[in-house]
């Protein structure tokens, strides 16, 4: 025989060329222990047979896709990867032997072993759900605490939390019944990691410890977790080092760093890609502008899953969301509702060049953390476990809307163990947001009736108007001289917010320059009433204490377009025509 001679199993001599072979019952088993899948016109039966054994493969299901866990060749970091169909086809031969009935040139039927056909792998991959295949919520690399307070220490997949524990080293067992005294001592061990940083307050100093408890104890936190904002008063103060030290405790390596994208579409794509990979900690490093965005906000309040736009397709992409977010920058400013989703960790150095310091207790820090990682992970678990056994008392820690479980599991555990409340830092952020509202109200009251200005014109006016300068500094805080770009950032954040029936509005003027004005809602009279400093004009009196006959100023001359907001901020400052 010339067709498949090495894979021939005769099942009887043919009496006629038209004889139909009797279809064997299946599934069968070969001597290798693999199930036999007989392939004929009954495709559904073949798919069902394979599905019955699919759970034998190292597969998971996530976001309606079959996925596997892979490790980075360089860092060794595990991540989630969608299983491509070529790999699925190869893996199917581990658990099944695929057979079909063929005929010899003489018409004798025989059973031949073949490769899995494409129609079969396509049908399996396209199902969207797979009975018996475990659902994967995420990957952890150190023991964690479950929502009920028990400790997950066994390597492998945990059905209760849907987490896969893949430790990179040995961890000592967590005490079965730790006491509050044990928790107090463990918290002190964790605080030692950041003993060399000049934090602004006790609440700022405890924030990195809260981050470690969040990363290590993510398995105990059902629902959303807030973002940590690590900022400083000067560059080179160690903001990224604070975050990387926490990441080294939880994962044995530095954080996954990326650039923050202000563009809504880019922001959505960035977060979706990290969500698909199951990245546990995402750090937006060294941000230079305001923090915020719709995609960021929805990830920060997502209870279990996040629905992203599946770009290029008319469908949404729903992803399990367990990632913890962090951001670093100097004097961070938050836009819109993002401020209420953040707890702060602020460094305040009294040195002009803090990067030149050499008086550290633990230097270099990250190697010291890695050499003590097992002990530090156990300390974190001791705090969480002891607090859970005590019934998770709150000790006066208030609930935080959208983050009630995090507040109970992490913030309350820190306070119960003798630390400051890490949530206290968020109240200052909210206060700053209230200050922004007050500054906006002042700006709307200052604004002359029926006048439009570019931000460059306002900066010029502020040079001789101390009241306006103070208002603009409050709306657009930052270091250095007041600039049109800085004011533009602040205005973009405040645009459309209604205070006393007034709101800041913008339109595109000549040379693509944004012109700002104040819209009046309702039946009030006038758009503001403030008069600019006297520069001569039509003889109208000033309501700011001037004498009759003092003139209202002419409109300041329009500067060349290149002197207004820089082009790198065009996407933030120049709305499309007709959008306002």
């Amino acid at each position: 025989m010339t067709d498949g001679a090495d894979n021939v199993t005769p099942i009887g001599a043919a009496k006629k060329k038209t004889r139909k072979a009797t279809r064997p019952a299946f599934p069968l088993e070969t001597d290798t222990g693999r199930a036999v899948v007989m392939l004929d016109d009954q495709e559904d039966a073949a798919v069902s047979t394979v599905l019955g054994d699919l759970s034998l493969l190292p597969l998971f299901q996530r976001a309606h896709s079959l996925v596997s866990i892979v490790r980075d060749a360089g860092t060794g970091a595990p991540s989630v990867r969608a299983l491509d169909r070529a790999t699925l086809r190869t893996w199917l031969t581990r658990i099944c032997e695929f057979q079909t009935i063929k005929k010899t040139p003489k018409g004798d039927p025989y059973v031949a072993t073949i490769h899995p056909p494409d129609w079969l792998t396509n049908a399996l991959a396209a199902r969207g759900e797979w009975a018996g295949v475990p659902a994967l919520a995420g990957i952890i690399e150190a023991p964690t605490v479950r929502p009920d307070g028990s400790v997950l220490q066994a390597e492998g997949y945990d059905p209760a939390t849907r987490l896969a524990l893949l430790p990179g080293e040995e961890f000592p067992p967590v005490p079965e019944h730790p006491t509050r005294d044990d928790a107090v001592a463990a918290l002190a061990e964790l605080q030692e990691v950041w003993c060399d940083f000049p934090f602004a307050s006790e609440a700022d100093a405890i924030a990195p410890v809260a981050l470690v408890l969040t990363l290590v104890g993510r398995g105990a936190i059902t629902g959303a977790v807030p973002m940590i904002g690590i900022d400083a008063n000067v560059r080179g103060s160690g903001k990224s080092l604070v975050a990387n030290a926490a990441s080294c405790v939880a994962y044995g390596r530095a954080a996954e760093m990326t650039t923050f994208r202000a563009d809504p579409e880019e922001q959505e794509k960035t977060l979706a890609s990290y969500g698909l990979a199951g990245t546990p900690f995402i750090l937006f490093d060294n941000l230079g502008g305001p923090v915020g965005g719709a995609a960021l906000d929805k990830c920060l309040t997502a209870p279990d899953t996040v629905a992203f736009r599946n770009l290029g397709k008319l469908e949404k992409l729903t992803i399990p969301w367990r990632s913890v977010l962090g951001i670093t920058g100097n004097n961070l400013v938050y836009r819109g509702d993002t401020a209420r989703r953040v707890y702060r960790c602020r460094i305040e150095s009294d040195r002009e060049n803090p990067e030149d310091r050499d008086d550290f207790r633990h230097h270099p820090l990250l190697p010291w953390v890695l050499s003590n990682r097992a002990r530090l992970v156990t300390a974190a678990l001791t705090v969480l476990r002891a607090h859970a056994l005590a019934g998770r008392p709150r000790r006066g820690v208030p609930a935080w809307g959208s983050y009630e479980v995090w507040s109970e599991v992490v913030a309350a555990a820190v306070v119960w163990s003798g630390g400051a409340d890490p949530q206290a830092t968020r109240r200052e952020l909210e206060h700053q947001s209230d200050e922004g509202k007050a500054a906006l109200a002042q700006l709307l009251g200052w604004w002359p009736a029926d006048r439009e200005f570019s931000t460059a014109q306002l900066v010029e006016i502020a040079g001789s108007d101390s009241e306006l300068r103070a208002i603009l500094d409050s709306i657009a805080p930052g270091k250095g001289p007041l600039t049109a770009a800085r004011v533009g950032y602040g205005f973009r954040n405040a645009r459309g917010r209604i205070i006393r029936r007034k709101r800041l509005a913008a339109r595109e003027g000549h040379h693509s320059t944004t012109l700002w004005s104040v819209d009046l809602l309702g039946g009030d009279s006038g758009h503001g009433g403030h008069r600019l400093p006297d520069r001569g004009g039509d003889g109208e009196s000033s309501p700011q204490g001037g004498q009759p006959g003092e003139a209202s100023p002419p409109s300041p001359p329009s500067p060349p377009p290149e002197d207004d907001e820089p082009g790198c901020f065009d996407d933030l400052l120049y709305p499309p025509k007709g959008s306002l």
Side-chain angles (χ1 to χ4, degrees), residues 1 31 63 289 339 356 383 406 414 419 422 428 447 521:
M1 293 179 286
D31 54 5
D356 294 337
V383 171
W406 181 89
V414 170
E428 186 168 338
W447 205 281
L521 307 176

Side-chain angles (χ1 to χ4, degrees), residues 107 233 407 432 502 545 551:
N233 62 329
S407 179
Q432 291 171 353
K502 296 176 183 178

Side-chain angles (χ1 to χ4, degrees), residues 268-293:
E268 184 126 343
K269 287 193 295 185
T270 297
L271 290 166
S273 64
Y274 280 109
L276 281 171
T279 306
F281 181 38
I282 306 165
L283 183 65
F284 297 107
D285 192 46
N286 200 26
L287 186 69
V291 183

